Amino acid sequence: MLSNLFINYKIEKIWSVEGFATYNLLKRLGSFIVFPLILGVGIGIPRYISFLKKGKDDASKALEYLVAGLIIFLITFGGFLVLLLFFPAVILSSFKQIGSESILLIVALFIFSQGVFVILSSFFRGKIQFGKSSLLNVLVLSFLPTVIIFFSDTIFDYFLYYAVSTIGSLLLIIVFNAYKNAISYKRTQFKIKQLIHYGAPRVVADAILFSLDFIPIYVVSVFISLEESGYLSLSFMFFKLASVSFDLIGSLILPLYGKGFKTEPSAVFVQKVNRLLVISGSLAVLASVCGYILIPYLIATFFGSLSPAILASQYIFIAFPFYVIFTILKNVLDIISSKAYNSLIQIVGFVAMGLTLFYGIYHKEWFYYRTLTIIIPYFVLGILTYLVWNKLKYKMVQNSI
């Protein structure tokens, strides 16, 4: 969180509002594209590894899920490169002020680096190796991006150096793990099919989830201005900074609660989830109040040129408790059901976001496209996810009686 705040601070100071907007647009573009490309293996890998029974070849079986995930990503990434070759304008349109097609190579490398990172991180989480997972996060999300900013002449140099150094580091870690354990190619083929079968229906959910962060910024940059998208990016940044701890809790639910789902009575599992929900929800309300109070001071201190974003950045924290409820429960739904409930929920949230966004842009109402385009979708996601959880937990308890 501190690293992210520092990087955004340095970028705004070095490359001003336009550089800040370009950085956040590129970063969210990468997330928006990479998660559909990995076909849900970021969820599938920790889920299935947590289901493995202890045995002498447990390490090899877990590694096979990592290899299967990487193979899936390489195939989908190849398809993405073909689309990028034939439709470059989709990417370049939001950077029309820059006009350099070299950005396509940078985007491709950045997406590849982030895809491999997500898959490797999922592997460590599935094995409940939180020490290695934390070190990997520190390396890729804190150390490398913080150091590289001091050696970059432009914002595009920054992403190029970051992507290349990340890919090199991750490949070394993967080779080291692969060297220690032998794998069965026949079992790996089965795991590829298993991950695709589980993850493919969740592609819509992944695409929509990251579109909530990316589409508003992208559309505003195209139809209004890159500078205006920078104000929206700042609001998203503070919202996401506040969510770091809750996102971490959400990422740990799959491996930790996945084991409990298989071994504990349904009533105990439901009780644990409800307890986590109450604690997280209470902390989210507190974070929401603190965010609203601190935003003016933080923007005035660190991002003076982005002061027009203060009011919108305060308002969006109204939706923060609903975002936390969604973040916690969407992982629970992925554990207890193979049905893609999250995809259906997030489709509704996406429609709410789209209607709000385009109404705001059409009428040039900043309150809509800077504020309500964030608040309304997370309201929808939080409420619908909670309703589905209540329905499924009732069935679980009834079936266990």
Side-chain angles (χ1 to χ4, degrees):
M1 180 176 67
L2 293 174
S3 174
N4 196 356
L5 182 62
F6 175 77
I7 291 168
N8 278 275
Y9 166 76
K10 290 294 291 184
I11 286 174
E12 190 265 344
K13 295 302 179 187
I14 297 171
W15 294 301
S16 71
V17 178
E18 185 173 295
F20 179 86
T22 302
Y23 166 77
N24 281 278
L25 184 58
L26 261 171
K27 190 176 178 181
R28 285 175 170 80
L29 174 67
S31 297
F32 173 66
I33 295 175
V34 76
F35 276 88
L37 289 183
I38 62 176
L39 286 183
V41 301
I43 303 171
I45 288 175
R47 182 180 193 263
Y48 285 114
I49 289 179
S50 70
F51 288 174
L52 289 174
K53 296 179 180 179
K54 294 294 182 182
K56 61 180 181 179
D57 58 348
D58 182 58
S60 294
K61 289 180 179 179
L63 183 63
E64 287 160 7
Y65 278 111
L66 172 63
V67 174
L70 290 172
I71 291 173
I72 292 170
F73 177 58
L74 286 173
I75 294 171
T76 57
F77 183 74
F80 165 72
L81 291 180
V82 174
L83 291 175
L84 195 63
L85 181 65
F86 285 101
F87 304 101
V90 175
I91 300 296
L92 294 175
S93 60
S94 58
F95 301 99
K96 52 184 177 292
Q97 296 93 334
I98 310 300
S100 173
E101 294 194 5
S102 63
I103 191 177
L104 295 178
L105 173 62
I106 296 171
V107 168
L109 287 172
F110 178 62
I111 288 171
F112 184 77
S113 70
Q114 296 305 294
V116 177
F117 165 67
V118 170
I119 293 170
L120 185 58
S121 179
S122 300
F123 168 71
F124 286 134
R125 284 193 293 112
K127 295 186 70 177
I128 316 184
Q129 294 179 337
F130 297 137
K132 291 182 179 180
S133 178
S134 296
L135 288 174
L136 182 66
N137 287 340
V138 169
L139 173 67
V140 176
L141 301 180
S142 298
F143 178 75
L144 288 178
T146 301
V147 170
I148 288 169
I149 198 170
F150 293 102
F151 299 93
S152 305
D153 294 325
T154 69
I155 197 68
F156 296 104
D157 287 341
Y158 171 82
F159 275 98
L160 177 62
Y161 302 155
Y162 178 39
V164 171
S165 59
T166 300
I167 292 170
S169 302
L170 295 178
L171 289 179
L172 286 175
I173 296 172
I174 292 170
V175 169
F176 177 76
N177 280 272
Y179 178 77
K180 293 196 303 179
N181 299 287
I183 64 172
S184 165
Y185 291 99
K186 186 175 181 180
R187 289 198 309 239
T188 302
Q189 288 179 332
F190 168 76
K191 288 176 172 61
I192 291 173
K193 296 177 182 177
Q194 187 182 37
L195 288 175
I196 291 176
H197 177 75
Y198 176 79
R202 288 164 169 77
V203 171
V204 175
D206 284 337
I208 289 176
L209 180 60
F210 287 93
S211 73
L212 297 179
D213 290 1
F214 168 69
I215 292 294
I217 294 173
Y218 174 79
V219 171
V220 168
S221 71
V222 172
F223 292 100
I224 300 181
S225 70
L226 191 60
E227 181 179 282
E228 186 68 22
S229 76
Y231 301 141
L232 182 57
S233 296
L234 187 67
S235 297
F236 269 115
M237 186 200 77
F238 282 115
F239 194 86
K240 289 301 182 181
L241 283 176
S243 71
V244 167
S245 298
F246 299 99
D247 290 338
L248 175 61
I249 294 171
S251 70
L252 299 180
I253 287 175
L254 273 172
L256 291 178
Y257 281 56
K259 286 188 178 296
F261 177 68
K262 284 292 185 179
T263 59
E264 298 172 347
S266 296
V268 174
F269 178 82
V270 169
Q271 186 180 35
K272 287 172 63 177
V273 173
N274 283 338
R275 187 184 305 122
L276 176 63
L277 202 58
V278 170
I279 295 172
S280 299
S282 301
L283 292 174
V285 172
L286 178 61
S288 181
V289 174
C290 291
Y292 186 90
I293 294 172
L294 292 175
I295 284 295
Y297 170 76
L298 292 172
I299 292 180
T301 303
F302 298 106
F303 305 98
S305 64
L306 296 167
S307 57
I310 289 177
L311 201 56
S313 300
Q314 286 181 288
Y315 285 158
I316 66 170
F317 270 89
I318 296 171
F320 192 70
F322 294 87
Y323 171 81
V324 170
I325 291 171
F326 165 71
T327 299
I328 299 298
L329 289 181
K330 74 182 179 71
N331 291 284
V332 174
L333 298 186
D334 282 325
I335 291 173
I336 64 180
S337 178
S338 59
K339 294 181 180 179
Y341 284 107
N342 287 322
S343 293
L344 298 175
I345 292 170
Q346 286 166 216
I347 287 173
V348 180
F350 179 79
V351 171
M353 181 270 291
L355 293 175
T356 308
L357 174 64
F358 286 105
Y359 178 87
I361 290 178
Y362 181 78
H363 291 282
K364 299 189 184 302
E365 294 282 352
W366 70 266
F367 181 72
Y368 281 84
Y369 65 74
R370 275 201 221 158
T371 307
L372 293 185
T373 195
I374 302 175
I375 292 177
I376 291 177
Y378 286 131
F379 261 75
V380 171
L381 294 180
I383 291 171
L384 291 182
T385 308
Y386 184 76
L387 291 176
V388 172
W389 159 244
N390 272 282
K391 176 184 175 182
L392 293 181
K393 77 177 183 181
Y394 177 78
K395 286 185 178 181
M396 286 174 59
V397 174
Q398 289 298 312
N399 291 336
S400 65
I401 296 176

